[in-house]
Amino acid sequence: MSDFRTTKPHMLRQSKVYESRTLMGGLSGFESPVGMDRRDRLQALKTGDIGFVHSWDINTSVDGPGTRMTVFMSGCPLRCQYCQNPDTWKMRDGQPVYLDAMVAKVERYKDLFQLTGGGITFSGGESMQQPKFVTRVFRAAKEMGVHTCLDTSGFLGENYSDDDIRDVDLCLLDVKSGDEETYRKVTGGSLQPTIDFGKRLSRLGTKIWVRFVLVPGLTDSEDNVENVASICQEFGDAVEHIDVLPFHQLGRPKWHELRIPYSLEDTKGPSAALKERVMGQFRNHGFVVY
């Protein structure tokens, strides 16, 4: 574990650029429950009448096809070394938002989504940690004819029934490593739930875009990449493509601000040659790769 570091001015500028691109929405336009005690909030969370939300954004070609409303939910069971948003780890740090307010926001943008082939994406944190809220929003979106997308590690896949998954048109599935040892080092969790969830998605006919974060010295070994490719092959034709996402340091100032020791402090992004080698490994297994 590294010592705490001080965020330097140039890092802060990079962080603001990152936030303006991905977390610009804040929670503007949402009415939060007022005067609800802890017991009532827990019950409303259990039924999905409220969800704890970090922020939301409107973007294009980042979190699924077309113009997307991406909602970043609070709470995550994993602790990825390269997490861009450690401020989403704890559910209590989010703001409670009414289900009806979220559904109304989706309806507001419905025409735009249908015009651009976009829709709503739930991300995080880990949105599967709040299954009732997310699945109820997805059900409402499907009834409106709005495309739905789930961005997840699949680690909490058992929280979703098959009927819940049938309301998901596309899953952005993070396959963070190809072997248990590396996966545990990267995330603190176990790989098998991701594999199990990917197989369920495939069985139920849900399309998958696999995401793999390429971190030099952590996830870049040839064996690890080969193992990831083999896992993706188990998902069959459900996999439309694989995104190889180069590691970057734009989230580093958040770790500093939260005073969380950051183990990748001095890690550089992958070279063009390394990224091409990894993409080539996936292509050799027959995948479309970006």
Side-chain angles (χ1 to χ4, degrees), residues 8 20 29 44 59 65 69 107 116 120 127 148 172 174 184 198 205 208 224 237 261 265-266 285:
K8 299 178 181 178
S20 72
N59 59 55
M69 174 182 173
E107 189 168 21
T116 65
I120 181 169
S127 59
T148 59
L172 309 180
D174 298 320
R184 190 167 296 279
I208 301 172
N224 188 49
D237 293 338
E265 189 72 46
D266 301 315
H285 285 264

Side-chain angles (χ1 to χ4, degrees), residues 36-255:
M36 185 181 288
D37 64 24
R38 182 176 182 274
R39 183 182 62 180
D40 289 341
R41 287 193 179 193
L42 289 175
Q43 180 59 28
L45 179 66
K46 184 177 180 179
T47 60
D49 289 312
I50 66 170
F52 283 82
V53 179
H54 176 277
S55 54
W56 70 285
D57 186 21
I58 295 291
N59 59 55
T60 303
S61 300
V62 176
D63 298 309
T67 300
R68 313 296 304 181
M69 174 182 173
T70 301
V71 181
F72 298 86
M73 303 298 289
S74 293
C76 184
L78 301 181
R79 294 294 180 264
C80 297
Q81 290 190 36
Y82 51 70
C83 181
Q84 298 175 9
N85 298 313
D87 49 338
T88 66
W89 284 352
K90 298 176 182 178
M91 192 183 304
R92 66 174 181 265
D93 290 340
Q95 293 295 320
V97 171
Y98 283 120
L99 172 70
D100 290 347
M102 183 65 69
V103 172
K105 185 70 72 174
V106 176
E107 189 168 21
R108 175 183 174 185
Y109 290 104
K110 178 177 68 172
D111 291 344
L112 175 63
F113 296 150
Q114 292 175 345
L115 180 65
T116 65
I120 181 169
T121 298
F122 273 104
S123 186
E126 174 53 75
S127 59
M128 297 187 88
Q129 191 159 314
Q130 301 187 59
K132 289 297 184 182
F133 182 81
V134 172
T135 57
R136 288 181 68 182
V137 175
F138 275 165
R139 176 92 297 266
K142 294 303 296 177
E143 290 173 355
M144 297 179 208
V146 172
H147 183 274
T148 59
C149 178
L150 181 69
D151 181 5
T152 181
S153 69
F155 185 73
L156 298 176
E158 291 186 356
N159 285 356
Y160 275 44
S161 69
D162 285 358
D163 285 342
D164 293 333
I165 293 174
R166 290 187 179 97
D167 284 333
V168 178
D169 293 312
L170 172 67
C171 182
L172 309 180
L173 185 61
D174 298 320
V175 182
K176 300 173 186 289
S177 171
D179 64 80
E180 283 287 353
E181 181 180 356
T182 304
Y183 194 94
R184 190 167 296 279
K185 181 179 180 181
V186 171
T187 72
S190 172
L191 169 62
Q192 191 60 46
T194 298
I195 299 173
D196 295 341
F197 189 63
K199 289 180 178 179
R200 285 183 68 201
L201 292 169
S202 177
R203 175 172 58 82
L204 294 169
T206 303
K207 294 300 182 183
I208 301 172
W209 293 1
V210 170
R211 288 179 161 181
F212 173 71
V213 180
L214 176 58
V215 186
L218 184 62
T219 66
D220 62 337
S221 75
E222 291 191 22
D223 286 346
N224 188 49
V225 174
E226 285 297 313
N227 289 336
V228 172
S230 295
I231 289 169
C232 293
Q233 286 183 315
E234 295 186 51
F235 307 152
D237 293 338
V239 178
E240 293 193 330
H241 68 258
I242 296 176
D243 291 307
V244 176
L245 305 178
F247 168 74
H248 59 67
Q249 291 283 9
L250 291 180
R252 177 169 54 183
K254 292 185 178 182
W255 289 72

